[in-house]
Amino acid sequence: MKISIKNSAGQSQGEHEVKFELIENGRGTQAVHDAVTAYRAAQRSGTACTKNVGEVSGSNKKPWRQKGTGRARAGSNQSPLWVGGGVVFGPKPRDFSKKVSKKTRALALRKALSERLKAGDVVVLDDLKLSTPKTKEFIKLINALELKGTTLVVSNGDDKNLTLASRNIENVALTTSDSLNTYDVLRPDKLVFTRSAFEKVEARLTKE
């Protein structure tokens, strides 16, 4: 499959032959599901914590005598029925992370990127260098490429000007080719790669 290469003005600069094999059938669908589920689970902090009856502060003294007060009998102020008492089966700190094999993650990324390429949602730029960290310069680039909706920009490495120029723009996110994952590929409406970043992702997928 060939994809068009554009410059920052949105003009065609030739074509690029995709080096990894695109997945044409239903293969990899389960891998995508597993990878996305694992990624989202890993984002959970798992720090929610409640105290059970044994952990609530208080004594074992009976609040009042058993009979003669007209009130319901009670044996402890740590009871789950009382305000400030223990919580029954409440959350405790836990690890939500799930294990996904390296091979499954690679298959999921290749499947997700294959679908986005076939749908025409991938834009590859010959180069992306901003002379200043000005937001208006980055907006000019977005308008030239006619990008609508959410956009993920994938660069070859950390670029200070690009980071500063894009961080104030709603619906625009920035990542690098090394940290690109399946969830990143599926989430935005459009994916914008620099040519070097796309070639680096290709190299990752070709190795597997």
Side-chain angles (χ1 to χ4, degrees), residues 62-147:
K62 195 170 170 65
W64 51 77
R65 66 180 193 267
Q66 183 83 347
K67 295 179 178 296
T69 63
R71 289 181 289 186
R73 55 194 172 186
S76 170
N77 56 11
Q78 294 129 300
S79 167
L81 303 179
W82 283 36
V83 174
V87 177
V88 180
F89 304 128
K92 287 291 184 183
R94 56 171 293 193
D95 181 11
F96 285 96
S97 64
K98 300 176 183 292
K99 290 184 178 180
V100 179
S101 71
K102 185 178 179 181
K103 192 172 182 180
T104 301
R105 289 198 305 269
L107 175 60
L109 181 59
R110 188 152 64 92
K111 171 68 174 178
L113 196 52
S114 295
E115 294 300 323
R116 300 312 299 269
L117 284 166
K118 287 187 286 185
D121 296 331
V122 177
V123 178
V124 179
L125 298 179
D126 189 38
D127 196 13
L128 179 55
K129 292 290 183 183
L130 300 181
S131 56
T132 61
K134 297 282 183 75
T135 301
K136 64 180 180 181
E137 188 175 346
F138 189 77
I139 291 176
K140 185 178 178 181
L141 169 69
I142 295 293
N143 292 335
L145 296 174
E146 299 180 348
L147 298 174

Side-chain angles (χ1 to χ4, degrees), residues 39-50 90-98:
Y39 177 85
R40 289 172 62 89
Q43 305 309 300
R44 301 181 68 175
S45 59
T47 55
C49 183
T50 56
K92 287 291 184 183
R94 56 171 293 193
D95 181 11
F96 285 96
S97 64
K98 300 176 183 292

Side-chain angles (χ1 to χ4, degrees), residues 6 11 13 22 51 56 61 63-64 69-70 83 97 107-108 111 116 122 126 150 155 161 172-173 184:
K6 297 183 179 180
Q11 299 166 338
Q13 299 292 303
L22 300 187
K51 292 183 178 180
V56 173
K61 182 182 177 183
W64 51 77
T69 63
V83 174
S97 64
L107 175 60
K111 171 68 174 178
R116 300 312 299 269
V122 177
D126 189 38
T150 55
S155 61
N161 282 354
V172 172
D184 288 337

Side-chain angles (χ1 to χ4, degrees), residues 16-34:
H16 175 78
E17 182 74 38
V18 178
K19 293 182 176 61
F20 64 90
E21 184 182 353
L22 300 187
I23 300 177
E24 300 291 346
N25 50 30
R27 177 172 170 262
T29 303
Q30 185 61 45
V32 170
H33 178 272
D34 292 344

